[in-house]
Amino acid sequence: QVQLVESGGGLVQAGGSLSLSCAASGRTLNSPVMGWFRQAPGKEREFVANIRRSGSTYYADSVKGRFTISRDNAKNILYLQMNSLKPEDMANYYCAAGGSLATTRVGFYDYWGRGTQVTVSS
């Protein structure tokens, strides 16, 4: 079983930066794909970015050029560096782990953290 714990959320001013981390633990090997999703009040959980073990990444258009996803395979830690934050980025951010078939859809990820809140003030 894989356990995921996010950290790093908080309050930041629009235009500022914030870095999130997700620590993965368990007896299994590194998940082929890890990703970040976010969910704002009254909205569905949406894809933010994902990364393969190889380092290959994919971003949602809404965050491309502003966010950077990375992972430390040796330490089993997933990161999300968020720059130029906007009020619309405010949401609960979740990290997720999935198999090689994982895409941008929630249903293809097998494990989820409890989330960390990101608040962006204007």
Side-chain angles (χ1 to χ4, degrees):
Q1 183 175 336
V2 175
Q3 296 177 344
L4 305 175
V5 181
E6 304 95 336
S7 62
L11 174 65
V12 64
Q13 190 174 16
S17 299
L18 199 63
S19 182
L20 305 181
S21 298
C22 173
S25 63
R27 290 179 177 271
T28 60
L29 298 175
N30 288 173
S31 297
V33 180
M34 297 194 72
W36 288 98
F37 289 76
R38 65 188 183 186
Q39 186 169 21
K43 300 182 68 176
E44 295 293 319
R45 189 168 300 185
E46 67 174 359
F47 170 79
V48 175
N50 64 20
I51 183 170
R52 300 175 183 176
R53 278 199 294 254
S54 64
S56 179
T57 60
Y58 184 75
Y59 298 89
D61 288 340
S62 59
V63 306
K64 192 175 300 181
R66 299 187 299 118
F67 291 10
T68 301
I69 188 172
S70 61
R71 64 189 290 175
D72 185 328
N73 293 330
K75 297 181 178 179
N76 295 315
I77 301 177
L78 177 71
Y79 302 96
L80 183 67
Q81 177 64 47
M82 303 182 291
N83 299 322
S84 301
L85 283 162
K86 305 175 181 180
E88 49 263 47
D89 294 319
M90 184 171 66
N92 198 343
Y93 282 71
Y94 300 86
C95 69
S100 60
L101 297 179
T103 59
T104 62
R105 298 192 177 193
V106 169
F108 284 91
Y109 290 80
D110 303 307
Y111 304 97
W112 295 85
R114 290 186 174 183
T116 185
Q117 182 66 41
V118 172
T119 301
V120 183
S121 64
S122 59

